[in-house]
């Protein structure tokens, strides 16, 4: 067990690896272990980040996610943009992508991401642009996309997705 809750000198956020140690007492503290950073770690691992063309800064235990390649943040350091076009992403799109509550732009065009588009993408209520063309996505279009009421652009061509884009009520 790692117990640091009594240590007033610990910096926030805690180093990334610390947040994933078993029994770390501050693992559920959003200041110490920001959920957005945790979601990006899962995204990186699921999309085989170690093999990306450019993964500068990703998973660095001391860098802000706002300085990770392809990640953009607002003034409050919330992730609002992930743009990793033609960057060698493979593997799958993790369901934790839905934990990026402030995300406005997700552009993963021209990579090799496989599998289905996770239904959790429907929790990205602030999403304006969703670009997933030229990957290897298969399966049904998630009906949860109907929850994305701010969506202005959605691109899925060059995949093997069936079904229709849900009607959005704007």
């Amino acid at each position: 067990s790692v117990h640091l809750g009594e240590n007033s000198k610990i910096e926030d956020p805690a180093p990334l690896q610390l947040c994933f140690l078993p029994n770390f007492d501050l693992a559920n503290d959003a200041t110490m272990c920001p959920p957005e950073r945790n979601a990006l770690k899962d995204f990186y691992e699921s999309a085989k980040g170690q093999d990306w063309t450019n993964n500068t800064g990703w998973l660095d235990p001391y860098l802000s996610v706002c300085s990770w390649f392809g990640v953009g943040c607002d003034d409050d350091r919330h992730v609002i943009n992930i743009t990793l076009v033609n960057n060698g992403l493979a593997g799958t799109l993790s369901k934790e992508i839905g934990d990026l509550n402030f995300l406005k732009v997700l552009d993963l065009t021209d990579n090799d991401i496989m599998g289905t588009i996770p239904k959790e993408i429907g929790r990205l209520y602030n999403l304006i642009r969703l670009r997933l063309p030229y990957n290897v996505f298969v399966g049904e279009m998630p009906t949860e996309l109907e929850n994305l009421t701010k969506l202005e652009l959605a691109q899925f061509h060059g995949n093997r997705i069936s079904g229709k884009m849900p009607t959005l009520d704007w």
Side-chain angles (χ1 to χ4, degrees):
S1 294
V2 178
H3 300 282
L4 297 177
E6 302 294 321
N7 185 346
S8 62
K9 294 184 180 181
I10 188 167
E11 302 216 4
D12 60 0
L16 182 62
Q17 296 90 335
L18 197 55
C19 293
F20 293 93
L21 287 177
N23 302 317
F24 176 48
D25 66 334
L26 298 175
N28 293 320
D29 182 316
T31 303
M32 289 297 171
C33 298
E36 289 180 307
R37 185 176 67 171
N38 297 344
L40 287 174
K41 175 191 176 285
D42 292 333
F43 167 79
Y44 177 87
E45 290 174 349
S46 182
K48 300 188 178 184
Q50 70 277 5
D51 297 327
W52 294 355
T53 305
N54 187 343
N55 60 8
T56 303
W58 280 79
L59 303 191
D60 184 298
Y62 301 103
L63 283 180
S64 162
V65 298
C66 302
S67 63
W68 294 2
F69 177 78
V71 176
C73 297
D74 62 15
D75 291 340
D76 294 321
R77 298 181 1 187
H78 291 295
V79 176
I80 59 169
N81 184 335
I82 299 175
T83 301
L84 295 166
V85 174
N86 192 22
N87 197 44
L89 280 69
T92 60
L93 184 57
S94 68
K95 64 181 177 144
E96 288 77 15
I97 197 77
D99 295 339
L100 298 171
N101 300 327
F102 297 89
L103 197 64
K104 294 181 179 181
V105 175
L106 179 61
D107 190 346
L108 306 177
T109 301
D110 197 16
N111 285 288
D112 290 310
I113 305 170
M114 301 179 220
T116 59
I117 297 172
K119 66 181 181 182
E120 289 80 5
I121 208 160
R123 294 196 324 244
L124 299 175
Y125 304 114
N126 290 302
L127 204 62
I128 296 169
R129 288 188 340 179
L130 175 60
R131 297 189 68 226
L132 301 176
Y134 304 111
N135 280 283
V136 196
F137 288 113
V138 296
E140 291 286 319
M141 182 77 67
T143 58
E144 290 79 4
L145 291 174
E146 68 189 9
N147 299 330
L148 306 181
T149 58
K150 295 181 181 179
L151 199 61
E152 296 173 5
L153 174 70
Q155 295 177 325
F156 304 99
H157 52 280
N159 290 288
R160 293 182 182 240
I161 302 170
S162 57
K164 294 182 178 180
M165 178 72 183
T167 303
L168 302 175
D169 296 325
W170 286 314

